Amino acid sequence: MTDLAAVKAALKTQAVETPSWAYGNSGTRFKVFAQEGVPRTPQEKLDDAAQVHAVTGVAPTVALHIPWDKVEDYSALAKHAEDRGVRLGAINSNTFQDDAYRLGSICHPDAAVRRKAVDHLLECIDIMDATGSADLKLWFADGTNYPGQDDIRERQDRLAEGLAEVYARLGDGQRMLLEYKLFEPAFYTTDVPDWGTAYAHCLKLGDKAQVVVDTGHHAPGTNIEFIVATLLREGKLGAFDFNSRFYADDDLMVGSADPFQLFRIMYEVVRGGGFTSEVAFMLDQCHNIEAKIPAIIRSVMNVQEATAKSLLVDRSALAAAQASGDVLEANAVLMDAYNSDVRPLLREVREEMGLDPDPMGAYRRSGWAEKIVAERVGGEQAGWGA
Amino acid sequence: MTDLAAVKAALKTQAVETPSWAYGNSGTRFKVFAQEGVPRTPQEKLDDAAQVHAVTGVAPTVALHIPWDKVEDYSALAKHAEDRGVRLGAINSNTFQDDAYRLGSICHPDAAVRRKAVDHLLECIDIMDATGSADLKLWFADGTNYPGQDDIRERQDRLAEGLAEVYARLGDGQRMLLEYKLFEPAFYTTDVPDWGTAYAHCLKLGDKAQVVVDTGHHAPGTNIEFIVATLLREGKLGAFDFNSRFYADDDLMVGSADPFQLFRIMYEVVRGGGFTSEVAFMLDQCHNIEAKIPAIIRSVMNVQEATAKSLLVDRSALAAAQASGDVLEANAVLMDAYNSDVRPLLREVREEMGLDPDPMGAYRRSGWAEKIVAERVGGEQAGWGA
Amino acid sequence: MTDLAAVKAALKTQAVETPSWAYGNSGTRFKVFAQEGVPRTPQEKLDDAAQVHAVTGVAPTVALHIPWDKVEDYSALAKHAEDRGVRLGAINSNTFQDDAYRLGSICHPDAAVRRKAVDHLLECIDIMDATGSADLKLWFADGTNYPGQDDIRERQDRLAEGLAEVYARLGDGQRMLLEYKLFEPAFYTTDVPDWGTAYAHCLKLGDKAQVVVDTGHHAPGTNIEFIVATLLREGKLGAFDFNSRFYADDDLMVGSADPFQLFRIMYEVVRGGGFTSEVAFMLDQCHNIEAKIPAIIRSVMNVQEATAKSLLVDRSALAAAQASGDVLEANAVLMDAYNSDVRPLLREVREEMGLDPDPMGAYRRSGWAEKIVAERVGGEQAGWGA
Amino acid sequence: MTDLAAVKAALKTQAVETPSWAYGNSGTRFKVFAQEGVPRTPQEKLDDAAQVHAVTGVAPTVALHIPWDKVEDYSALAKHAEDRGVRLGAINSNTFQDDAYRLGSICHPDAAVRRKAVDHLLECIDIMDATGSADLKLWFADGTNYPGQDDIRERQDRLAEGLAEVYARLGDGQRMLLEYKLFEPAFYTTDVPDWGTAYAHCLKLGDKAQVVVDTGHHAPGTNIEFIVATLLREGKLGAFDFNSRFYADDDLMVGSADPFQLFRIMYEVVRGGGFTSEVAFMLDQCHNIEAKIPAIIRSVMNVQEATAKSLLVDRSALAAAQASGDVLEANAVLMDAYNSDVRPLLREVREEMGLDPDPMGAYRRSGWAEKIVAERVGGEQAGWGA
């Protein structure tokens, strides 16, 4: 029997961080389709993020991406956020959009390029000091396209050396979150291709280094919830980058491609104590063809629904069935929670939080979409690279 | 026993079409790294392509991409090519880089967008009339990102209707080559995801409609040479788009990721009569981080080497081993050809053709690379979207 | 708005065929774990299948596998089934478990082996005449393990020739259902690897030849519902073999690995008219570690739930959102149906059919499981190969 | 410039361990095709293995599988091997073919089953003491088929506990080699699915615990040579299980599906010092349809050819090209070695070792194949499970 009050209480404390870049334009290598009303400044991205939090109540922080969100005065930016009811979240570094990084950044064969990359990461920690952000999120586009292009092992040595320097700069209460990715934009090797590589580096670095699981960064057939369970058992799960995929790193709305997988992941989070720990839940998505703010609201709701279902699993019934080796019953207990329609429960939770039970409708009725289209005219729209 | 003279004769007649766009800049959704000396006009692309043909002797034609290679006077463009020893090849349409195409082109729910797309394809045939190109190559980025986004079946109806109108416009000696692709830039469905779909449409259209096999457009584990054998058996293999991949549509140099697969594909081409038929051999690659012209020369050489090996297969020994059910011997006959070093043979072929036996060295010594860096200053570099 | 009465009526007419072999033991190449109470004869398999139909009301027919279900008197077998409330369904051929088939059956290089295989298929049609079965289901294990082992194209010629002879033997009202499979037990090529190959053969054979979609027989990332939509549009979808998979052809309970995919497939079936047509819905699963009869009941229920959800899709709202290009709304309409809990609706349907609303409980309470363990002692348990 | 004498010297010291079970019958879940002349006893497997070593000169040891190769007197078995010119190699445990292991062995929810499994592993170390084998190779079929079936994390706890007990029993000079596998025979989770999991366990156990890389046990698209480079860098690569695959764990002859991948793997071995270290090179294959002894000879030769090519890489030219960021030149240096025909070199090596330069021919001419067919009549053929 699950305790509904406890489930509701847990859902009310949920926090999903939204990424500033998802409010801007994005696309594929073939085309970026521009949308009207898209933010032109970091401040406008925060304004949009505040709308998401206003209607969902569980998206209180916004991840920044440097240099896309570079400003003169980070305290003012933090103030801008707080005035709108949100806070600044993780700082995401960018070591892939400078011409210097054609053959890598922190793993580049040329020491000067590595220096440039490490300096950028150190600058990101300076920004964290200014914004009060706790997390430095590192994703490296580093890798090679052709066998022989560079020495796989030396690149690991360079990576270890660069990470160590950055790690040493971390202050109290600051963490380094290391993301892995199977491929893209590098097509033969990536320098942190899997959780094992990220884990091995974090282990050597120390307690402040943790692994990020981006749900779109795995080979076909990879059991992501197994990785989540394992990293939690090892005390090394730092954060999620949520999105969903059918093929590669499609960066679709989380929960839109395989909602059952998202439920299984959230179940391992709940079961492993990750829901109440330091694990950060972030979105990292690209809304190439759909309206951006509503897509982010929907994504936050998808995470909520998967979380609600995972909290509804009858853990003692499950444990009993597992202990007795009753395969079908154990599976049935899990599926009972998944097959539940948790939307009424979430509507209640929202009402108890003083929110509109229907976030999508609330946003639509707010007039924000029309307002930004009307007002955000001129200037340069934000986008990847902007 | 293979007849070496016949092998050499076949190799001398080989023709690999290079794509105008591969001479320009390209990249991933994360970054396009610009290179120096990249062409700024269709004419300069042809100049570069002529260098590839000059040193390899087997790259006599250049595929154009409309509108990237749009010019006022196509006869003058054809003349420009011929003056440099090459000819214009297939016309490639583009129905993915206009804002109108956010939800598709020929399959778009809005009839006005479909009209625009079909008109573009008809315009491409006008250009074929002007250039004397025989082939219209169609790749559609059409598809959907989310389940429910559009009706899968209606999109097929729209596709069939659009293709029929374009097909009807083809003149004598003109073909429509239909390409399929599993995913990207659409992430849930693509409207021509596999050879079966392309084949079914081509079958209904008629003899002038043929299927294009892009070697990077398949699901993991797909046996491409089986598809090649099947399409040749059905008389429906129109062309190849060669490139290679480790993960998705990586568009790396053909033969660089799995040279054994390329050999197996070329063997099925030879065995199925495709080498001496109307099957067009085209490259479709992106040289994101490596020098473009040398990468294309290397790619052409990789195709040559795979072809040479496939021609060296002792077909009668193979047939005998296959007929007797001798698994290991049949495999060994094939592997004997693959394990051969055909580079000396190709050096001989080149010398007999009056070429430098070492195309990479010949290009390096030509000074062309330095020349274009020095001369191509100012103007806008060509690139995807340019 | 969906018409609930119509949805219920449709659900009451649903028919899922269960396979005789799923009631027997099965396993992996590593181990077959034997279970107690497993049937020892075709008759006992029918007895078990009758239990599934008794509690679900929608599993009225049982597929046979020849020679595993070979009997002297098929009329008696049919009578045995009818006495228990079920009927004999499709006849499944077996051309993979005789030592003669080491290098293939209908595609074998040796004409004598091909003769043996075709004779077996003709015998299966004789059995259809005796049982009144309408469908001959063909799955070929044919293929090769090593490049060069046999000639890909000649094997297609042999396949076409063999199928033509079998097709010619079909009587009125009889169909040939051709299944495709990417790999296993052959590891380099299979002779019918994808829907395109099956479709091309069926097209040449004629109207009585139709394609079978086994949901576990695709490459990673394949969009199965697209294939379903396409085959329905072409009038060539003959049947499903339902099961589910995480990696390869895992043959797990349908709906257990990706219930959202099953829903999307069933939606395309409903949308394409397949639910009310001649498309046959069959299970083809292996219950290696779980209790077999309950696993089959659960599988039938999973198909029912996916069907119910697909019938609940608000088709007019969906069409409107699609036509207007509202990506998020169109996706939301589809997800609304998927996120519904249809279990109460199905309980009502069962009650209206005079059944226990809880098929799993009804089976448990029936005592059948204990009865067969007690009674089925001695003799040889049925299993793959038995 | 590579030093040919050094290359030859290295090739002469190569040692590839062949597995006793590959000499016996094997198959897929669909069928085991029996072959004539297959060994009936562990002694006869050693006799066959001795033939492989006799003609290749580089297959001096034979891996045993317990209980398949259980004998009364292991000293006598070791003597039998030595009399024929080979030695006993790694001991492979089997915790998957007892009915008790339906839901796992060392990770089973029932402590009694775990006890049984651990006891078996301890017994294997007893056997190592008797045979003088240095390596205990552990592959666990443990896992689950359905979400919820068992608790992922508790299974890790059980695994850690069991491994620790076994590890404690290891004597001086004995190692525990832990293998990972993505899937099969478990289809939802496996308890050691990837190198990261194996590595994390080995790290905690200590220096005697090392990871085994089976080349067929990865998700599609996994870069195996990256894992090899990483494990060597971490000092945790214990052994290879060589075989090759197109789709899943196909267990085909190593080098037959992707010889370029095998070359890249061997290059990382050479580059990382693994070729001259304690890394064990073992075959683990199934020759389901081809003649077994010749298939193993061919496999050993494939490993030799890949090794020879990897030794021929011009490491200083490669390093120079890599350091200068010359992508195409670095790739070309690697490909030059790969594109070489090393068969003449290996023929020389064999002649210098006093062997026939043509191992396949030598075996054929030896008459062994005919001899075993004539003599091995009666008794029970060895096979998986035998």
Side-chain angles (χ1 to χ4, degrees):
Chain A
M1 271 305 153
T2 50
D3 174 351
L4 266 186
V7 168
K8 283 183 175 179
L11 290 168
K12 288 173 191 169
T13 66
Q14 187 158 34
V16 178
E17 184 160 306
T18 71
S20 71
W21 55 95
Y23 298 96
N25 286 320
S26 61
T28 68
R29 61 176 171 143
F30 295 100
K31 171 74 176 168
V32 174
F33 294 104
Q35 296 191 9
E36 290 184 290
V38 160
R40 298 158 300 174
T41 64
Q43 289 78 5
E44 289 183 352
K45 295 180 201 171
L46 293 172
D47 296 345
D48 287 358
Q51 299 299 314
V52 172
H53 185 50
V55 297
T56 63
V58 295
T61 58
V62 188
L64 300 185
H65 193 111
I66 305 300
W68 300 342
D69 295 320
K70 231 170 165 168
V71 293
E72 285 295 304
D73 183 345
Y74 289 97
S75 322
L77 192 70
K79 176 75 167 47
H80 184 97
E82 278 154 36
D83 288 348
R84 279 144 191 85
V86 291
R87 299 190 312 280
L88 303 183
I91 300 300
N92 290 257
S93 61
N94 180 321
T95 53
F96 52 91
Q97 286 193 321
D98 188 291
D99 276 319
Y101 298 139
R102 184 173 54 93
L103 303 179
S105 65
I106 196 172
C107 303
H108 196 285
D110 183 340
V113 179
R114 296 201 296 276
R115 184 70 257 152
K116 176 186 170 80
V118 171
D119 284 345
H120 168 69
L121 302 182
L122 296 174
E123 181 200 4
C124 286
I125 304 181
D126 293 340
I127 294 173
M128 291 166 67
D129 291 341
T131 58
S133 299
D135 292 336
L136 174 64
K137 186 133 67 72
L138 302 177
W139 168 64
F140 295 106
D142 286 63
T144 65
N145 276 5
Y146 292 103
Q149 177 186 325
D150 200 358
D151 190 86
I152 291 174
R153 186 158 163 174
E154 276 179 33
R155 291 181 76 95
Q156 288 298 304
D157 294 339
R158 297 171 202 150
L159 176 64
E161 187 185 340
L163 289 177
E165 182 176 347
V166 176
Y167 186 86
R169 166 70 181 77
L170 289 173
D172 289 341
Q174 290 182 335
R175 300 190 301 175
M176 168 191 285
L177 303 177
L178 183 57
E179 194 161 328
Y180 58 90
K181 186 174 184 181
L182 179 70
F183 84 100
E184 197 213 18
F187 295 126
Y188 168 54
T189 58
T190 61
D191 291 304
V192 192
D194 53 22
W195 78 265
T197 305
Y199 166 80
H201 280 284
C202 287
L203 211 60
K204 292 191 182 68
L205 290 166
D207 288 347
K208 292 176 182 174
Q210 302 259 300
V211 179
V212 179
V213 174
D214 182 304
T215 48
H217 288 189
H218 303 85
T222 302
N223 185 324
I224 300 175
E225 59 268 30
F226 183 92
I227 295 173
V228 169
T230 297
L231 284 171
L232 280 168
R233 187 174 175 272
E234 299 281 340
K236 278 294 184 194
L237 180 63
F240 281 97
D241 264 12
F242 279 128
N243 52 64
S244 73
R245 60 170 281 193
F246 287 98
Y247 304 97
D249 186 30
D250 305 342
D251 277 334
L252 302 174
M253 297 187 297
V254 58
S256 65
D258 188 348
F260 182 43
Q261 182 189 56
L262 181 61
F263 160 75
R264 298 192 313 261
I265 289 171
M266 289 309 304
Y267 174 73
E268 291 304 327
V269 171
V270 167
R271 185 260 174 261
F275 189 60
T276 52
S277 76
E278 305 277 292
V279 178
F281 299 87
M282 305 171 176
L283 301 183
D284 185 7
Q285 309 182 153
C286 293
H287 307 295
N288 298 345
I289 61 166
E290 68 272 26
K292 292 167 202 305
I293 299 173
I296 297 169
I297 295 170
R298 168 63 62 197
S299 301
V300 170
M301 294 172 70
N302 284 353
V303 173
Q304 283 186 296
E305 291 174 20
T307 306
K309 290 181 177 191
S310 72
L311 290 165
L312 286 176
V313 172
D314 186 336
R315 302 265 306 269
S316 59
L318 182 61
Q322 290 173 340
S324 71
D326 188 338
V327 175
L328 289 170
E329 179 60 20
N331 176 245
V333 171
L334 195 81
M335 296 311 292
D336 267 348
Y338 178 68
N339 286 326
S340 301
D341 186 347
V342 294
R343 293 174 300 174
L345 174 72
L346 283 163
R347 280 192 287 268
E348 281 179 41
V349 166
R350 287 184 197 111
E351 284 178 334
E352 293 174 14
M353 293 170 76
L355 297 168
D356 191 307
D358 170 17
M360 292 293 280
Y363 174 72
R364 202 166 40 237
R365 287 185 292 271
S366 74
W368 185 261
E370 292 75 16
K371 177 180 151 75
I372 57 180
V373 167
E375 295 182 358
R376 292 178 185 168
V377 175
E380 195 174 347
Q381 287 186 316
W384 284 32
Chain B
M1 271 305 154
T2 50
D3 175 350
L4 266 186
V7 168
K8 283 183 176 179
L11 289 167
K12 288 173 191 169
T13 66
Q14 187 159 32
V16 179
E17 183 159 307
T18 72
S20 72
W21 54 96
Y23 297 96
N25 285 321
S26 61
T28 68
R29 61 177 171 143
F30 294 100
K31 171 73 177 168
V32 174
F33 295 104
Q35 297 190 10
E36 291 185 289
V38 160
R40 298 157 301 175
T41 62
Q43 288 79 4
E44 289 183 352
K45 296 179 200 171
L46 293 173
D47 295 346
D48 287 358
Q51 298 299 314
V52 174
H53 185 51
V55 296
T56 63
V58 295
T61 58
V62 189
L64 300 185
H65 194 112
I66 304 301
W68 301 341
D69 295 320
K70 230 168 166 171
V71 293
E72 285 295 304
D73 183 344
Y74 289 97
S75 322
L77 191 70
K79 177 75 166 48
H80 184 98
E82 278 153 36
D83 288 348
R84 280 143 192 87
V86 291
R87 299 191 312 278
L88 303 184
I91 300 300
N92 290 257
S93 60
N94 180 321
T95 52
F96 52 91
Q97 285 192 321
D98 188 292
D99 277 319
Y101 299 139
R102 183 172 54 92
L103 303 179
S105 65
I106 195 173
C107 303
H108 196 287
D110 182 340
V113 179
R114 297 200 297 275
R115 184 70 257 152
K116 175 186 171 81
V118 171
D119 284 345
H120 168 69
L121 302 181
L122 296 174
E123 181 200 3
C124 286
I125 304 181
D126 292 340
I127 294 173
M128 290 166 67
D129 291 341
T131 59
S133 299
D135 292 335
L136 173 66
K137 186 134 66 71
L138 302 177
W139 169 66
F140 296 105
D142 287 62
T144 65
N145 276 5
Y146 293 102
Q149 177 186 324
D150 200 359
D151 190 85
I152 292 174
R153 186 158 164 175
E154 274 179 34
R155 291 181 75 94
Q156 289 296 305
D157 294 339
R158 296 170 201 151
L159 176 64
E161 187 184 341
L163 289 176
E165 182 175 347
V166 176
Y167 187 87
R169 166 71 181 79
L170 290 172
D172 288 343
Q174 291 182 335
R175 299 190 302 174
M176 167 190 285
L177 302 178
L178 183 58
E179 195 162 329
Y180 59 89
K181 185 174 186 183
L182 179 69
F183 84 100
E184 198 213 20
F187 295 126
Y188 167 54
T189 58
T190 61
D191 292 304
V192 191
D194 53 22
W195 79 265
T197 305
Y199 166 79
H201 281 284
C202 288
L203 210 60
K204 291 192 183 67
L205 289 167
D207 288 348
K208 292 177 182 174
Q210 301 259 301
V211 178
V212 179
V213 174
D214 182 304
T215 49
H217 287 190
H218 303 86
T222 303
N223 185 324
I224 300 175
E225 60 267 31
F226 183 92
I227 295 172
V228 169
T230 297
L231 284 171
L232 280 168
R233 186 174 176 272
E234 299 281 339
K236 278 295 183 191
L237 180 63
F240 281 97
D241 264 12
F242 279 128
N243 52 64
S244 75
R245 60 168 283 191
F246 287 98
Y247 304 97
D249 186 30
D250 305 343
D251 277 334
L252 301 174
M253 297 188 297
V254 59
S256 66
D258 188 348
F260 182 43
Q261 182 189 56
L262 181 61
F263 160 75
R264 299 192 312 261
I265 289 171
M266 288 310 303
Y267 174 72
E268 290 304 327
V269 170
V270 168
R271 184 263 175 259
F275 190 60
T276 51
S277 76
E278 304 276 293
V279 178
F281 300 88
M282 306 170 176
L283 300 183
D284 184 8
Q285 308 181 153
C286 293
H287 308 294
N288 298 344
I289 61 166
E290 68 272 25
K292 293 168 201 303
I293 298 173
I296 297 169
I297 294 170
R298 169 64 62 198
S299 302
V300 170
M301 293 172 70
N302 285 352
V303 173
Q304 282 186 297
E305 291 174 20
T307 306
K309 290 181 177 190
S310 71
L311 290 165
L312 286 175
V313 172
D314 186 335
R315 302 262 309 266
S316 59
L318 182 61
Q322 290 172 341
S324 71
D326 188 337
V327 175
L328 289 169
E329 180 60 19
N331 177 244
V333 170
L334 195 81
M335 296 311 292
D336 266 349
Y338 179 68
N339 286 326
S340 301
D341 186 346
V342 294
R343 293 173 301 174
L345 174 72
L346 283 163
R347 282 193 285 268
E348 280 179 42
V349 166
R350 288 184 196 111
E351 285 178 333
E352 293 174 14
M353 292 170 77
L355 297 168
D356 191 308
D358 170 18
M360 292 294 280
Y363 174 72
R364 201 164 42 237
R365 288 185 291 273
S366 75
W368 185 260
E370 293 74 17
K371 178 179 150 76
I372 56 179
V373 167
E375 294 182 358
R376 292 177 183 169
V377 175
E380 194 174 346
Q381 288 185 315
W384 284 33
Chain C
M1 272 304 153
T2 49
D3 174 351
L4 267 186
V7 169
K8 283 183 176 180
L11 290 168
K12 288 172 191 169
T13 65
Q14 186 158 35
V16 179
E17 183 160 308
T18 72
S20 71
W21 54 95
Y23 298 97
N25 286 320
S26 61
T28 68
R29 61 177 172 142
F30 294 100
K31 172 71 178 170
V32 174
F33 294 105
Q35 296 189 9
E36 291 184 289
V38 160
R40 298 158 300 176
T41 62
Q43 289 77 5
E44 289 184 353
K45 296 180 200 170
L46 294 172
D47 296 345
D48 287 358
Q51 298 298 315
V52 173
H53 185 50
V55 295
T56 63
V58 294
T61 59
V62 189
L64 300 186
H65 193 112
I66 304 301
W68 300 342
D69 296 320
K70 228 168 167 172
V71 292
E72 286 295 304
D73 183 345
Y74 289 97
S75 323
L77 192 70
K79 178 72 167 48
H80 183 98
E82 279 154 35
D83 288 348
R84 279 143 192 86
V86 291
R87 298 189 313 279
L88 303 184
I91 300 299
N92 290 257
S93 60
N94 180 321
T95 54
F96 52 91
Q97 287 193 321
D98 187 292
D99 277 320
Y101 298 139
R102 184 172 55 92
L103 303 179
S105 65
I106 196 172
C107 303
H108 196 286
D110 182 339
V113 179
R114 297 200 296 276
R115 186 69 256 152
K116 177 186 171 80
V118 171
D119 284 345
H120 168 69
L121 302 181
L122 297 174
E123 181 201 3
C124 285
I125 305 181
D126 293 340
I127 293 173
M128 290 167 68
D129 291 341
T131 58
S133 300
D135 292 336
L136 174 65
K137 185 134 65 74
L138 302 177
W139 168 65
F140 295 105
D142 286 62
T144 65
N145 276 5
Y146 293 102
Q149 176 186 325
D150 200 359
D151 190 86
I152 291 174
R153 186 158 164 175
E154 275 180 32
R155 291 180 76 95
Q156 289 296 306
D157 294 339
R158 296 171 203 150
L159 176 63
E161 187 184 341
L163 289 176
E165 182 176 348
V166 176
Y167 186 86
R169 167 67 182 82
L170 290 171
D172 289 342
Q174 291 183 334
R175 300 191 301 175
M176 169 192 283
L177 303 177
L178 183 58
E179 193 161 331
Y180 59 91
K181 185 174 186 182
L182 179 69
F183 84 100
E184 197 214 21
F187 295 125
Y188 168 55
T189 58
T190 60
D191 291 304
V192 191
D194 53 22
W195 78 266
T197 306
Y199 166 79
H201 281 285
C202 287
L203 210 59
K204 291 190 183 68
L205 289 167
D207 289 347
K208 291 177 182 172
Q210 302 259 302
V211 179
V212 179
V213 174
D214 182 303
T215 49
H217 287 188
H218 303 85
T222 303
N223 185 324
I224 301 174
E225 59 267 31
F226 182 93
I227 295 172
V228 168
T230 298
L231 284 172
L232 280 168
R233 185 173 176 273
E234 299 280 339
K236 278 295 184 193
L237 180 62
F240 282 97
D241 263 12
F242 280 129
N243 52 65
S244 74
R245 60 169 280 189
F246 287 97
Y247 305 96
D249 186 30
D250 305 342
D251 277 335
L252 301 174
M253 297 187 297
V254 60
S256 65
D258 188 348
F260 182 44
Q261 182 189 56
L262 181 60
F263 160 75
R264 299 193 311 262
I265 289 170
M266 287 310 303
Y267 173 72
E268 291 304 328
V269 170
V270 167
R271 184 262 175 260
F275 190 60
T276 51
S277 76
E278 303 277 294
V279 178
F281 300 88
M282 305 171 177
L283 301 182
D284 184 7
Q285 308 181 153
C286 293
H287 308 295
N288 297 344
I289 61 166
E290 69 271 26
K292 293 166 203 303
I293 298 172
I296 297 169
I297 294 170
R298 167 65 62 199
S299 302
V300 170
M301 292 172 70
N302 285 352
V303 173
Q304 283 186 295
E305 291 173 20
T307 306
K309 290 180 177 190
S310 72
L311 290 166
L312 286 176
V313 172
D314 186 337
R315 301 264 307 268
S316 59
L318 182 61
Q322 290 173 339
S324 70
D326 188 337
V327 176
L328 289 170
E329 179 60 19
N331 176 245
V333 170
L334 195 80
M335 296 311 292
D336 267 349
Y338 179 67
N339 286 326
S340 302
D341 186 346
V342 295
R343 293 173 300 174
L345 174 72
L346 282 163
R347 280 193 284 268
E348 281 178 41
V349 165
R350 287 183 198 111
E351 284 178 334
E352 294 174 12
M353 292 170 78
L355 297 169
D356 191 307
D358 170 17
M360 293 294 280
Y363 174 73
R364 201 164 41 238
R365 287 185 291 273
S366 75
W368 184 261
E370 292 74 16
K371 179 180 150 75
I372 57 180
V373 167
E375 294 182 358
R376 292 177 183 169
V377 174
E380 197 175 342
Q381 288 185 315
W384 283 32
Chain D
M1 270 305 154
T2 49
D3 175 349
L4 266 186
V7 168
K8 283 183 175 179
L11 289 168
K12 288 173 191 169
T13 65
Q14 186 158 36
V16 179
E17 184 160 306
T18 70
S20 71
W21 55 94
Y23 298 97
N25 285 320
S26 61
T28 68
R29 61 177 171 143
F30 295 100
K31 170 73 177 169
V32 175
F33 293 105
Q35 297 190 9
E36 289 185 289
V38 160
R40 298 158 301 175
T41 64
Q43 289 78 7
E44 289 184 353
K45 295 180 200 170
L46 294 172
D47 296 345
D48 287 358
Q51 299 299 314
V52 173
H53 185 51
V55 297
T56 63
V58 294
T61 58
V62 188
L64 300 186
H65 194 111
I66 305 300
W68 299 343
D69 295 321
K70 228 168 167 171
V71 291
E72 285 295 303
D73 182 345
Y74 289 97
S75 324
L77 191 70
K79 177 74 167 47
H80 184 98
E82 279 153 35
D83 288 349
R84 279 144 192 85
V86 291
R87 299 189 313 280
L88 303 184
I91 300 299
N92 290 257
S93 60
N94 180 321
T95 53
F96 52 91
Q97 286 193 321
D98 188 292
D99 277 320
Y101 299 139
R102 184 172 54 93
L103 303 179
S105 66
I106 196 172
C107 303
H108 196 286
D110 182 339
V113 179
R114 297 200 296 275
R115 186 68 257 154
K116 176 187 171 80
V118 171
D119 284 345
H120 168 69
L121 302 182
L122 296 173
E123 181 200 4
C124 285
I125 304 181
D126 293 340
I127 293 173
M128 290 166 68
D129 291 341
T131 58
S133 300
D135 293 336
L136 173 65
K137 185 134 66 70
L138 302 177
W139 169 65
F140 295 106
D142 286 62
T144 64
N145 276 5
Y146 292 103
Q149 177 186 325
D150 201 359
D151 190 86
I152 291 174
R153 185 157 165 175
E154 275 180 34
R155 291 180 76 95
Q156 288 296 306
D157 295 338
R158 296 170 202 151
L159 176 63
E161 186 185 342
L163 289 176
E165 182 175 347
V166 176
Y167 187 86
R169 167 68 183 79
L170 290 171
D172 289 342
Q174 290 182 334
R175 300 191 301 175
M176 169 191 283
L177 302 177
L178 183 58
E179 194 161 330
Y180 58 91
K181 185 174 184 182
L182 179 70
F183 85 100
E184 197 215 22
F187 295 125
Y188 167 56
T189 58
T190 61
D191 291 304
V192 192
D194 52 22
W195 78 266
T197 305
Y199 166 80
H201 280 285
C202 287
L203 211 59
K204 291 192 183 68
L205 288 167
D207 288 347
K208 292 177 182 172
Q210 301 259 303
V211 179
V212 179
V213 174
D214 182 304
T215 49
H217 287 188
H218 303 85
T222 302
N223 185 324
I224 300 175
E225 58 267 31
F226 182 93
I227 295 172
V228 169
T230 296
L231 285 172
L232 280 168
R233 185 174 177 273
E234 300 280 339
K236 278 294 184 194
L237 180 63
F240 281 97
D241 263 12
F242 279 129
N243 52 64
S244 73
R245 61 169 280 191
F246 287 97
Y247 304 96
D249 186 30
D250 305 342
D251 278 334
L252 301 174
M253 297 187 297
V254 59
S256 65
D258 188 348
F260 182 44
Q261 182 189 55
L262 181 61
F263 161 74
R264 299 192 313 261
I265 290 171
M266 288 310 302
Y267 174 73
E268 291 304 327
V269 170
V270 167
R271 184 262 175 261
F275 189 60
T276 52
S277 77
E278 303 277 292
V279 178
F281 300 88
M282 305 169 178
L283 301 182
D284 185 8
Q285 308 181 154
C286 293
H287 307 295
N288 298 345
I289 61 166
E290 69 271 27
K292 293 167 201 302
I293 298 173
I296 297 169
I297 295 170
R298 168 65 60 199
S299 302
V300 170
M301 293 172 70
N302 285 352
V303 174
Q304 284 186 294
E305 291 174 19
T307 306
K309 290 180 177 189
S310 71
L311 290 165
L312 286 176
V313 172
D314 186 336
R315 302 266 305 269
S316 58
L318 182 62
Q322 290 173 340
S324 71
D326 188 336
V327 176
L328 289 170
E329 179 61 19
N331 176 245
V333 171
L334 195 80
M335 296 311 291
D336 266 348
Y338 178 67
N339 286 326
S340 302
D341 187 346
V342 295
R343 293 173 301 174
L345 175 72
L346 283 164
R347 280 193 285 268
E348 282 179 40
V349 166
R350 287 184 197 110
E351 284 177 334
E352 293 174 14
M353 292 171 77
L355 297 168
D356 191 308
D358 170 18
M360 293 292 280
Y363 175 72
R364 201 165 40 238
R365 287 184 291 272
S366 75
W368 185 261
E370 292 75 17
K371 179 180 151 75
I372 56 179
V373 167
E375 294 183 359
R376 292 178 183 168
V377 176
E380 196 175 344
Q381 287 186 315
W384 284 32

